[in-house]
């Protein structure tokens, strides 16, 4: 039971075919993969072996030709496109080699983009994006345009964007491929922290040195797994993040207590004590969000003025 609960991705006999007849080729061939919550998987292999294809299928950006794929126990191929988009927005964060930030949008709006499916108001989306940027110490650059940032900063913005919706899985396709070694290290340390918080990360890389960050290293060859080595036992993986999505149960004290103890100070402290006893959410963002409700977001006008003043600060 517990093993099944810890499985977040289950892929069986997956094929991805391109072309027909003489032009037919398989990017993935009879591919099997089971991913546990809390794994940090690095996928390596020669160019063209199917790494990006695999990541795109896992991330519901692409569809397999045949085979089965269960994401959090849901059979992906039987879900409508609309539901897939929702599932993707809720569960998956993407980081790409070329950052993929929208050049015409300021940093904060780029980071808020994945929340479009969340049903939150624009103000709330911006507050959540701002909170996430704070975590990466990029809040001072909220109203910079992407081109005003270094490559490393752009990738950290992209990481913030991938995390803004509190996804369970982060998919990263050569996230350090365009970065110098110092920025690479910073990005990898960020990913390590994100993993330590219990997120599942699947990352493609050509750099064998980075595999030290992984709990499992998969080498692909011609559309299949060539070698698959776990460096950390399943039992030692960081705790799953799924509890982030469960609201802690706060037991409301019996109304009786209030009426019977007129002068009682203890009744006042009771709800707090109950709250403290409730399970805590490991990630800050939700509690932070509540707190931020009282903080007034910047108005459109003030945003614009910040943007223009910062432009000159590059
Ligand atoms: N849209 C497409 N049409 C036809 N063939 C494709 C398409 N996309 C990918 N392929 C083929 O699928 C195979 C796997 O491509 P994929 O991009 O997954 O490789 P990769 O392992 O990510 O390579 P790299 O390390 O260079 O990024 C390649 O042979 C590629 O030519
Ligand atoms: Mg690729």
């Amino acid at each position: 039971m517990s093993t099944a609960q810890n499985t977040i991705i289950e892929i069986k006999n997956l094929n991805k075919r391109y072309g027909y007849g003489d032009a037919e080729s398989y990017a993935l061939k009879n591919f099997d993969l089971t991913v546990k919550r809390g794994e940090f998987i690095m996928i390596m292999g020669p160019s063209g072996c199917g790494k990006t294809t695999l990541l795109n299928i896992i991330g519901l950006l692409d569809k397999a030709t045949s085979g089965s794929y269960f994401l959090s126990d849901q059979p992906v191929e039987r879900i409508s496109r609309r539901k897939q988009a929702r599932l993707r927005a809720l569960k998956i964060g993407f980081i790409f080699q070329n950052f993929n930030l929208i050049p015409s949008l300021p940093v904060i709006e780029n980071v808020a983009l994945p929340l479009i499916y969340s049903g939150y108001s624009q103000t709330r989306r911006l507050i959540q994006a701002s909170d996430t940027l704070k975590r990466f110490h990029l809040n001072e650059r909220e109203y910079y345009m992407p081109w005003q940032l270094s490559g490393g900063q752009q990738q950290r913005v992209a990481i913030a964007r991938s995390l803004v919706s509190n996804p369970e899985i982060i998919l990263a396709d050569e996230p350090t491929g365009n970065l110098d070694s110092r920025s690479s290290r910073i990005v990898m340390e960020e990913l390590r922290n994100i993993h330590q918080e219990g997120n599942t990360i699947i990352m493609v890389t050509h750099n064998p040195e980075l595999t030290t960050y992984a709990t499992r290293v998969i080498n692909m060859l011609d559309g299949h797994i060539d070698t698959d080595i776990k460096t950390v036992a399943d039992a030692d993986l960081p705790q799953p993040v799924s509890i982030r999505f469960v609201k802690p149960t706060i037991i409301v004290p019996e109304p009786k207590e209030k009426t019977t103890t007129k002068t009682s100070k203890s009744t006042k402290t009771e709800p707090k004590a109950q709250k403290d006893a409730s399970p805590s959410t490991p990630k800050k963002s939700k509690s932070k969000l509540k707190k931020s409700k009282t903080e007034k977001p910047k108005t459109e006008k003030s945003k614009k003025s910040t943007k223009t003043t910062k432009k000159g600060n590059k």
Side-chain angles (χ1 to χ4, degrees):
M1 179 83 179
S2 66
T3 318
Q5 273 178 349
N6 286 336
T7 298
I8 192 161
I9 289 170
E10 186 148 39
I11 286 173
K12 282 209 174 116
N13 208 17
L14 201 86
N15 290 290
K16 177 68 181 177
R17 187 193 63 219
Y18 287 112
Y20 292 94
D22 290 346
E24 184 179 272
S25 70
Y26 281 83
L28 295 173
K29 188 97 182 143
N30 303 330
F31 198 91
D32 293 333
L33 177 68
T34 302
V35 179
K36 297 266 182 347
R37 284 199 166 84
E39 284 197 287
F40 189 160
I41 301 180
M42 294 248 182
I43 300 181
M44 300 190 64
S47 185
C49 70
K51 305 180 294 296
T52 296
T53 306
L54 175 67
L55 236 51
N56 287 346
I57 291 173
I58 290 177
L60 310 176
L61 293 174
D62 199 359
K63 214 169 166 284
T65 311
S66 63
S68 76
Y69 169 23
F70 283 79
L71 173 61
S72 294
D73 293 328
Q74 305 204 49
V76 165
E77 61 272 19
R78 280 187 242 149
I79 299 173
S80 70
R81 285 204 156 242
R82 223 176 128 183
K83 278 196 180 152
Q84 281 191 16
R86 203 174 145 65
L87 197 62
R88 178 169 63 232
L90 283 174
K91 294 208 175 274
I92 299 170
F94 292 92
I95 306 168
F96 302 93
Q97 178 174 359
N98 53 0
F99 325 133
N100 281 13
L101 299 176
I102 295 186
S104 57
L105 292 180
V107 161
I108 191 166
E109 288 182 28
N110 264 286
V111 173
L113 274 176
L115 295 172
I116 282 203
Y117 284 92
S118 65
Y120 296 163
S121 69
Q122 198 201 10
T123 306
R124 188 164 170 197
R125 295 202 297 264
L126 291 177
I127 290 171
Q128 194 149 327
S130 179
D131 279 350
T132 313
L133 282 164
K134 245 177 236 156
R135 173 189 165 159
F136 291 92
H137 308 289
L138 284 163
N139 44 317
E140 285 182 6
R141 290 180 167 77
E142 276 177 7
Y143 287 98
Y144 275 45
M145 300 306 281
W147 54 268
Q148 293 178 300
L149 302 176
S150 70
Q153 287 167 338
Q154 286 187 52
Q155 193 58 302
R156 283 165 56 224
V157 169
I159 295 177
R161 181 185 56 187
S162 79
L163 287 177
V164 73
S165 57
N166 260 335
E168 287 181 272
I169 306 168
I170 313 288
L171 301 176
D173 197 351
E174 300 190 52
T176 61
N178 284 351
L179 301 179
D180 58 76
S181 59
R182 188 178 160 273
S183 305
S184 246
R185 231 197 55 220
I186 294 171
V187 162
M188 287 314 300
E189 291 301 326
E190 292 290 4
L191 288 177
R192 192 209 294 269
N193 292 339
I194 292 163
H195 171 245
Q196 287 304 319
E197 287 170 12
N199 289 286
T200 308
I201 303 182
I202 306 178
M203 171 176 153
V204 167
T205 183
H206 282 284
N207 185 351
E209 285 173 23
L210 301 185
T211 54
T212 50
Y213 290 89
T215 63
R216 180 176 177 188
V217 181
I218 292 176
N219 261 290
M220 282 179 64
L221 195 63
D222 295 335
H224 67 267
I225 292 179
D226 188 34
T227 59
D228 183 352
I229 298 164
K230 287 189 181 185
T231 51
V232 172
D234 289 348
D236 296 331
L237 293 172
Q239 280 297 299
V241 281
S242 50
I243 47 168
R244 282 181 308 162
F245 297 98
V246 181
K247 282 190 184 152
T249 320
I250 298 168
I251 305 156
V252 181
E254 297 275 323
K256 251 195 289 176
E257 289 176 39
K258 271 187 187 168
T259 50
T260 50
T261 50
K262 265 185 190 171
T263 54
S264 167
K265 281 177 190 166
S266 62
T267 39
K268 277 190 177 173
T269 55
E270 187 113 321
K272 187 177 184 303
Q274 297 275 21
K275 242 184 199 176
D276 292 345
S278 66
S280 62
T281 41
K283 265 206 173 166
K284 301 168 233 167
S285 52
K286 290 225 164 142
S287 55
K288 256 188 156 182
L289 195 67
K290 276 185 192 150
K291 204 171 60 180
S292 333
K293 269 186 179 171
T294 53
E295 292 165 13
K296 283 239 164 84
K298 287 171 188 164
T299 60
E300 283 299 323
K301 272 183 191 166
S302 66
K303 273 184 234 164
K304 274 181 191 150
S305 65
T306 327
K307 180 175 142 188
T308 38
T309 49
K310 280 180 177 168
K311 254 188 184 178
N313 286 345
K314 194 190 168 183

